[in-house]
């Protein structure tokens, strides 16, 4: 059973917005930090945003600061990524991930992954 399921990807014009959602099937994920990563064609998967277990702490990649907002709703076991002012370089497969820590966003601590959702931004 896939523990993380992403939805909300699609095709959007530059300057547009999308909201990604991640359903956490297992309730235990609500006590862990969560994050969003993305992989563009031919490139490595990179960190986009992270949020601590209670939402008190967030972190963003420099490339998305001021445009993307990560949030979570532990009561409904959901993680979100609001993406505004999208650019063609944001095109990638976006992955939801769960950390083994409640507040650390170190890459090696993310050990559960969704299957990804495609985001394509046209110019």
């Amino acid at each position: 059973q896939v523990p993380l399921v992403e939805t909300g990807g699609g095709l959007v014009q530059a300057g547009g917005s999308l909201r990604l959602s991640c359903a956490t099937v297992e309730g235990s994920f609500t006590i862990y930090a969560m994050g969003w990563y993305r992989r563009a064609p031919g490139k490595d998967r990179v960190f986009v945003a992270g949020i601590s277990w209670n939402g008190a702490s967030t972190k963003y990649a420099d490339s998305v600061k001021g445009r993307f907002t990560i949030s979570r709703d532990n009561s409904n076991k959901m993680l979100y990524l609001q993406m505004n002012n999208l650019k063609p370089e944001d095109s990638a497969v976006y992955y939801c991930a769960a950390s083994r820590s409640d507040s650390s966003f170190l890459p090696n601590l993310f050990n559960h992954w969704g299957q990804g959702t495609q985001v394509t931004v046209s110019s």
Side-chain angles (χ1 to χ4, degrees):
Q1 187 179 19
V2 177
L4 303 171
V5 181
E6 305 97 335
T7 57
L11 173 64
V12 63
Q13 288 188 330
S17 299
L18 281 175
R19 188 194 196 201
L20 304 184
S21 299
C22 174
T24 60
V25 177
E26 297 183 12
S28 60
F29 285 119
T30 59
I31 64 174
Y32 295 111
M34 302 286 293
W36 289 96
Y37 280 70
R38 68 186 183 188
R39 187 197 303 269
K43 296 186 178 181
D44 292 334
R45 186 164 57 189
V46 297
F47 175 81
V48 174
I51 187 167
S52 61
W53 76 274
N54 60 356
S57 176
T58 58
K59 181 179 180 179
Y60 296 92
D62 288 343
S63 59
V64 306
K65 280 181 182 176
R67 299 187 298 122
F68 290 12
T69 303
I70 188 171
S71 61
R72 67 191 297 165
D73 178 355
N74 284 346
S75 62
N76 289 305
K77 305 175 186 177
M78 295 293 294
L79 177 73
Y80 303 101
L81 184 68
Q82 178 66 44
M83 306 185 294
N84 297 328
N85 190 22
L86 283 161
K87 304 176 181 180
E89 52 263 42
D90 294 319
S91 297
V93 177
Y94 283 72
Y95 299 90
C96 171
S99 172
R100 287 178 288 182
S101 166
D102 61 355
S103 59
S104 174
F105 308 129
L106 291 175
N108 62 329
L109 295 179
F110 285 93
N111 63 340
H112 285 88
W113 299 87
Q115 293 184 322
T117 185
Q118 177 70 49
V119 171
T120 303
V121 184
S122 63
S123 57

